[in-house]
Amino acid sequence: MTAEFALAMPAVALVLVCCLSGVQLAGLQVRLQDAAAASARSLARDESPGTVAATASALVASARLSSHQRDNLVCATVTSPARNALLGLLPITLSASSCALAGGK
């Protein structure tokens, strides 16, 4: 009985680490989407790109902001590397995009 338990524990621990990493990645994705939406709205109100980038970094640590204009929309994309995903073994970068009507019209 002890031998089977000793063999099963690493597998259970690995499954637990994978599940917790998945929850961490999902939480980061939600925060990135919120930061992208807030950044797009701020850029649409003609706030300075530096201020918007600082706001995105405040919402998500180590976030990078890029933006572009498409017709009458201002779009923002926020990317961030996922730290400690699967104990830091996989270099995963997540991103989220959002658009807002330029000029708030």
Side-chain angles (χ1 to χ4, degrees), residues 36-76:
S39 298
R41 287 190 304 267
S42 295
L43 288 170
R45 289 189 302 258
D46 290 330
E47 292 185 21
S48 70
T51 304
V52 176
T55 302
S57 293
L59 292 172
V60 178
S62 71
R64 293 183 306 274
L65 174 69
S66 63
S67 63
H68 65 279
Q69 210 158 7
R70 188 175 54 196
D71 296 328
N72 60 346
L73 295 175
V74 177
C75 298

Side-chain angles (χ1 to χ4, degrees), residues 17 21 84-90:
V17 166
S21 292
N84 298 327
L86 291 176
L87 299 176
L89 299 175
L90 297 175

Side-chain angles (χ1 to χ4, degrees), residues 20-40:
L20 291 176
S21 292
V23 169
Q24 177 191 14
L25 290 173
L28 178 60
Q29 184 66 41
V30 169
R31 288 186 294 145
L32 283 172
Q33 189 62 49
D34 288 343
S39 298

Side-chain angles (χ1 to χ4, degrees), residues 29 32-33 35-37 40 66 68 75-79 95-99:
Q29 184 66 41
L32 283 172
Q33 189 62 49
S66 63
H68 65 279
C75 298
T77 302
V78 180
T79 60
S95 67
S97 297
S98 185
C99 296

Side-chain angles (χ1 to χ4, degrees), residues 9-21:
M9 278 309 291
V12 170
L14 182 63
V15 168
L16 182 62
V17 166
C18 289
C19 290
L20 291 176
S21 292

